[in-house]
Amino acid sequence: MFYIGCHLSSSNGFLAMGETALSIGATTFQFFTRNPRGSKAKTIDPADAAAFRALWAEKGYGVVVAHAPYTINPCSKDERTREFALQTLADDLQRMEYIPGNLYNFHPGSHTGQGVETGIAQIAETLNAILTPEQHTTVLLETMAGKGSEIGGRFEELREILNRVTLTDKMGVCLDTCHVSDGGYDIAGDLDGVLTTFDKVIGLHRLKALHVNDSLNPVGAHKDRHARIGEGYLGKEAFGRIINHPALQGLPFVLETPNELPGYAAEIALLKEMKR
């Protein structure tokens, strides 16, 4: 099955997200675990979570992706900021047990002047503090555009974080097409080459999800400005190659393009038409 979806609001609960996804032709989706610019998390209704699990099992659809809030930074030079990140990530992983077997994605963070090596060490330290053998969620490091002091703009940085995590079987990577392109990897012009590099550095077995976004900027811009499919520098044809690449089959593809639901529905339909 082709698992394609978009980012949905979690304000009305899991079942509402599942029903909304179905209404626009999606077979997966992504949601923020809490306010993306804040810290407050909505109380989870166990009955709602159970109803969603039943719906998704009935449809036979793929894993869904939760996204951590943008406010967390486990490699900040500020100790309180790092502690907030640790507490938020740990709480989110407990909450994810209501819908076990899914994915939890986060931005590795920005080292805020401490240097890449220190940032990597602090991210790994946080992960080692929150991951447990009992959890049923795979935690994903997202590929980043490399703007400012971001960690994750190079595959080698993600590899180094993974090397330092003890419960490495609980970890994976989410590849963002806009971020990767902005980071300097020509995913539109040399998809095979980028995936070969990814495999050599990280391992394709670590790739668990993709964010499918066009970019308002050319390769290597380090800007992170998403565009609708076919309206940026990657171009529509590149996404046909991405969704049909043999190495990427069976993975959830999640749209984070600047859209409302009708726009997402149109892009989902477009990508389905391109699927061979």
Side-chain angles (χ1 to χ4, degrees):
M1 182 177 287
F2 179 37
Y3 299 113
I4 180 69
C6 62
H7 193 95
L8 298 175
S9 170
S10 60
S11 60
N12 293 321
F14 292 119
L15 181 60
M17 285 190 291
E19 292 172 339
T20 298
L22 297 181
S23 75
I24 59 173
T27 51
T28 186
F29 60 88
Q30 177 178 270
F31 64 96
F32 278 118
T33 55
R34 60 190 68 216
N35 186 326
R37 301 292 179 185
S39 61
K40 187 175 182 180
K42 182 182 177 181
T43 300
I44 292 177
D45 178 357
D48 173 69
F52 165 72
R53 294 196 306 269
L55 172 65
W56 230 234
E58 175 191 339
K59 296 296 181 180
Y61 287 163
V63 297
V64 298
V65 185
H67 199 304
Y70 296 132
T71 48
I72 66 166
N73 185 5
C75 59
S76 170
K77 63 184 177 183
D78 181 76
E79 184 177 357
R80 289 174 299 179
T81 300
R82 295 197 305 273
E83 180 62 23
F84 170 75
L86 187 152
Q87 296 297 331
T88 301
L89 291 167
D91 183 55
D92 277 354
L93 288 183
Q94 291 180 1
R95 293 162 60 83
M96 287 296 291
E97 290 301 304
Y98 283 95
I99 52 167
N102 290 295
L103 306 171
Y104 178 76
N105 177 69
F106 78 104
H107 293 183
S110 297
H111 63 71
T112 58
Q114 300 182 98
V116 172
E117 179 64 22
T118 297
I120 287 172
Q122 290 174 337
I123 295 165
E125 180 181 359
T126 296
L127 288 166
N128 283 329
I130 65 170
L131 298 178
T132 67
E134 299 80 18
Q135 73 184 58
H136 297 90
T137 300
T138 300
V139 177
L140 308 185
L141 299 167
E142 184 171 340
T143 58
M144 303 306 296
K147 68 180 187 295
S149 61
E150 275 183 345
I151 303 290
R154 306 302 301 170
F155 295 157
E156 290 79 4
E157 294 171 3
L158 299 182
R159 175 72 263 178
E160 186 59 29
I161 296 169
L162 293 170
N163 285 346
R164 297 179 185 218
V165 174
T166 302
L167 296 177
T168 186
D169 62 312
K170 303 297 183 182
M171 295 295 302
V173 172
C174 175
L175 189 152
D176 186 299
T177 56
C178 170
H179 294 177
V180 163
S181 178
D182 277 29
Y185 297 95
D186 189 8
I187 197 168
D190 185 19
L191 176 60
D192 284 339
V194 172
L195 291 179
T196 296
T197 300
F198 185 99
D199 192 31
K200 288 179 178 178
V201 176
I202 297 176
L204 279 170
H205 67 286
R206 294 283 188 188
L207 184 56
K208 304 297 184 182
L210 286 91
H211 286 165
V212 184
N213 307 303
D214 214 322
S215 176
L216 290 176
N217 295 285
V219 176
H222 304 295
K223 295 290 187 182
D224 187 9
R225 295 286 305 282
H226 296 192
R228 296 183 181 93
I229 302 302
E231 296 183 11
Y233 278 87
L234 274 66
K236 184 173 72 173
E237 291 75 15
F239 291 95
R241 294 189 290 272
I242 290 168
I243 64 172
N244 286 295
H245 196 282
L248 306 178
Q249 300 313 295
L251 298 177
F253 294 87
V254 177
L255 292 156
E256 292 182 323
T257 50
N259 271 312
E260 300 295 335
L261 285 178
Y264 280 133
E267 285 188 330
I268 289 168
L270 171 65
L271 292 172
K272 283 184 173 180
E273 289 175 5
M274 297 166 68
K275 189 74 175 71
R276 295 192 295 269

